[in-house]
Amino acid sequence: MIKKLLGIILFVWVTIGNAQVRKYSEQGNGLINLEKHQVNFNLLSPGVSYEIGLFRNQTISTSLGLGLATYEEGYAFGLAWNNRYRYYHNLKRRKELRKNVSGNSGNYIAAAQAIFFSQLRVATNIEGPNDFNVGFYGMVYGIQRTYPKGLNFTAELGAGYYRGDGVLSGYGPLFGLSLGWTPKRKK
């Protein structure tokens, strides 16, 4: 519960603090190559995601949609809330090669957190009470591409610790794949 509350406080703090980031970036030293705000409607795993540019090559993203948790104890499939602190490491090189960097198109390393909720779980084989939640804490490597018409593709792979709330905890992989649409015009 405390981790959930800290995550919400962090998200609100970042959103409010964006005014300072905007002021910094307008002076020419900030969000080079990154979008200040980006909303995606995910079609492959129905849901929505929001990404906010913080500093040069760094963003925070949050999404709500279908997800799969799979670790030593089993799997859980259903509604998941995902949060990422992303560092895009190849934007400068992509720009030098005249490749698209709009819509935060680049490769990233991210600290990842995900919560798989029991209320809207579709399937599971984890033994325990019916109302358990599972949280993921780890690192992922991903790619994101946003094309001129707004088509957005994101794929990520990582590993970390799954903490069970009412069930056993363990280690396992995390794989994310989303295909969606970004309605905003890009840089």
Side-chain angles (χ1 to χ4, degrees), residues 166-179:
V167 294
L168 295 175
S169 301
Y171 294 93
L174 180 75
F175 175 73
L177 181 66
S178 72
L179 179 66

Side-chain angles (χ1 to χ4, degrees), residues 47-117:
V48 64
S49 64
Y50 175 69
E51 187 172 9
I52 183 171
L54 293 178
F55 307 108
R56 182 179 220 152
N57 298 344
Q58 299 174 45
T59 66
I60 287 184
S61 68
T62 186
S63 66
L64 188 63
L66 290 177
L68 175 68
T70 178
Y71 67 110
E72 299 163 337
E73 299 304 316
Y75 71 89
F77 176 71
L79 183 67
W81 178 31
N82 296 288
N83 298 297
R84 307 284 186 265
Y85 186 92
R86 296 177 177 178
Y87 173 75
Y88 288 90
H89 65 84
N90 72 334
L91 294 177
K92 183 178 177 184
R93 178 159 166 73
R94 286 182 61 81
K95 195 167 185 179
E96 288 171 355
L97 295 172
R98 299 185 186 275
K99 292 186 176 183
N100 177 32
V101 294
S102 68
N104 302 344
S105 293
N107 299 9
Y108 62 86
I109 299 167
Q113 182 256 348
I115 298 173
F116 300 87
F117 297 104

Side-chain angles (χ1 to χ4, degrees), residues 2-60:
I2 292 175
K3 289 181 182 181
K4 291 178 191 177
L5 183 59
L6 288 175
I8 292 169
I9 291 170
L10 176 65
F11 181 75
V12 170
W13 177 74
V14 167
T15 304
I16 292 170
N18 188 45
Q20 293 298 320
V21 172
R22 187 176 305 120
K23 180 180 174 186
Y24 180 71
S25 68
E26 289 169 356
Q27 294 171 351
N29 299 321
L31 303 175
I32 298 170
N33 303 327
L34 288 176
E35 303 295 332
K36 291 179 184 176
H37 304 279
Q38 180 167 280
V39 175
N40 296 323
F41 297 101
N42 300 326
L43 306 172
L44 190 59
S45 62
V48 64
S49 64
Y50 175 69
E51 187 172 9
I52 183 171
L54 293 178
F55 307 108
R56 182 179 220 152
N57 298 344
Q58 299 174 45
T59 66
I60 287 184

Side-chain angles (χ1 to χ4, degrees), residues 145-178:
R145 301 292 186 264
T146 304
Y147 300 98
K149 300 278 184 182
L151 181 67
N152 178 279
F153 169 78
T154 305
E156 58 187 19
L157 179 64
Y161 182 69
Y162 284 89
R163 183 177 184 281
D165 179 21
V167 294
L168 295 175
S169 301
Y171 294 93
L174 180 75
F175 175 73
L177 181 66
S178 72

